[in-house]
Amino acid sequence: MDSDTGSSCSRSSSPDLVVNDAARSFFSNKMFQTYYRENGEDNKATKSRMDDGLTAKPKARSELNRDEIQDMRLKVNSRERKRMHDLNQAMDGLREVMPYAHGPSVRKLSKISTLLLARNYILMLSSSLEEMKKLVGDVYGGSATIQSRSSALSAMNPTTPSAHLPLHPLAQSLHSLVASTPLTFQHHSTSAVAPAPHSPPSSTFLSFHSPIQGLLKDPHHLSSTYRHLPGMPCPCSLCQPLPTTTSTLQSMSMTK
DNA sequence: TAGGCCATCTGGTCCT
DNA sequence: AGGACCAGATGGCCTA
């Protein structure tokens, strides 16, 4: 039923967003042809169904002829398609910043996998940031500057880790440090030189602190897509440092 | 072939 | 009134 059959990738969830093309693609697909057939002169059933669905405003709707109703339906469909395409573009944008290899030969993450991975990735970065803050604090012996900045961060958002303030100068500097931290991500410096297919991220990562464990029943399908990337902290369970503040992370976890 | 994933259509609901 | 958002239904594609 895909209307974007002209796309190079038949499985693309985000076909090129050409709004003007939406109607044309719709007109070319099977569903529209079926729809058009069913809305022919002799099809009373479909017409009555359409009318039933549009009788919320009897007076206004009754003034619309079938062509106008059809045009309206096409406009609604087009908007919905555009909305979903925008959503998929956002999903692609999220995939791009995930520590996974990207490329035509690599099967992209499913939507649910992307969301679960993104969430756990954020949690991992948060814990890494906390770890780095402690390390920096140790290095500078509890420098007043660090302390004041840390307390400032806490004051700005006392209920959530300062990792949620990525634009803060301290957060930026710490974030840059995270990528080269020997303690936590040491083996990345070697594997990252020549990115190679990684063992499948275990379910412990994809369900890391997740209240919806088991939602991603078979994370092994990710095995062909996972790679260590240069400078990217690895979210896999093998590389996963234990959260420094489990309670904090759990408080951040989704409540649904 | 079954199951997973996806795009699309559709009607309902809520918001501006 | 029109648009955004949502969920259900449907059917296609792909993989194990």
Side-chain angles (χ1 to χ4, degrees):
Chain A
M1 185 181 298
D2 294 340
S3 62
D4 54 331
T5 52
S7 174
S8 58
C9 177
S10 63
R11 299 295 301 166
S12 173
S13 62
S14 294
D16 293 339
L17 186 55
V18 181
V19 177
N20 291 339
D21 194 52
R24 188 186 64 191
S25 62
F26 173 69
F27 275 84
S28 67
N29 73 15
K30 293 178 187 175
M31 179 164 281
F32 170 73
Q33 291 166 5
T34 302
Y35 175 86
Y36 192 80
R37 234 184 294 119
E38 291 178 348
N39 281 273
E41 290 290 326
D42 298 330
N43 195 309
K44 299 292 194 300
T46 303
K47 183 179 184 298
S48 66
R49 182 177 59 83
M50 292 290 290
D51 289 344
D52 288 344
L54 296 168
T55 50
K57 293 98 180 178
K59 187 174 185 296
R61 299 303 185 193
S62 64
E63 293 172 353
L64 298 175
N65 60 33
R66 203 177 65 251
D67 288 340
E68 287 171 332
I69 292 173
Q70 186 169 319
D71 285 344
M72 190 169 62
R73 195 65 252 175
L74 292 178
K75 281 172 59 179
V76 170
N77 291 349
S78 180
R79 280 199 304 271
E80 177 67 6
R81 257 196 316 274
K82 181 184 182 301
R83 193 182 71 84
M84 294 308 297
H85 288 175
D86 290 346
L87 184 64
N88 287 331
Q89 277 191 334
M91 192 68 71
D92 285 341
L94 185 57
R95 286 189 185 99
E96 287 176 5
V97 300
M98 298 304 294
Y100 270 77
H102 314 287
S105 62
V106 179
R107 182 173 181 171
K108 70 181 181 184
L109 289 170
S110 67
K111 292 178 179 178
I112 182 67
S113 298
T114 301
L115 292 175
L116 290 172
L117 185 62
R119 174 179 171 272
N120 292 322
Y121 188 44
I122 290 169
L123 293 177
M124 185 208 67
L125 290 178
S126 298
S127 65
S128 297
L129 183 58
E130 291 297 318
E131 183 91 13
M132 286 308 302
K133 285 171 65 179
K134 289 182 179 179
L135 289 174
V136 171
D138 290 343
V139 167
Y140 290 96
S143 163
T145 301
I146 297 295
Q147 293 291 349
S148 62
R149 288 191 176 187
S150 297
S151 58
L153 286 173
S154 300
M156 290 174 68
N157 196 342
T159 59
T160 58
S162 55
H164 292 252
L165 301 169
L167 295 181
H168 191 282
L170 177 60
Q172 286 183 332
S173 60
L174 289 174
H175 188 237
S176 64
L177 285 172
V178 166
S180 58
T181 301
L183 175 63
T184 309
F185 302 111
Q186 187 172 24
H187 66 290
H188 286 77
S189 60
T190 56
S191 60
V193 172
H198 190 277
S199 58
S202 69
S203 57
T204 59
F205 170 67
L206 286 169
S207 60
F208 179 57
H209 290 303
S210 173
I212 48 176
Q213 292 185 9
L215 183 58
L216 193 62
K217 295 174 184 174
D218 183 17
H220 300 293
H221 72 281
L222 302 173
S223 61
S224 63
T225 66
Y226 191 81
R227 293 171 187 271
H228 283 268
L229 298 178
M232 295 295 291
C234 177
C236 73
S237 62
L238 293 176
C239 312
Q240 182 80 52
L242 289 176
T244 54
T245 54
T246 304
S247 59
T248 301
L249 289 175
Q250 285 181 337
S251 69
M252 295 163 56
S253 66
M254 292 189 298
T255 55
K256 280 186 180 180

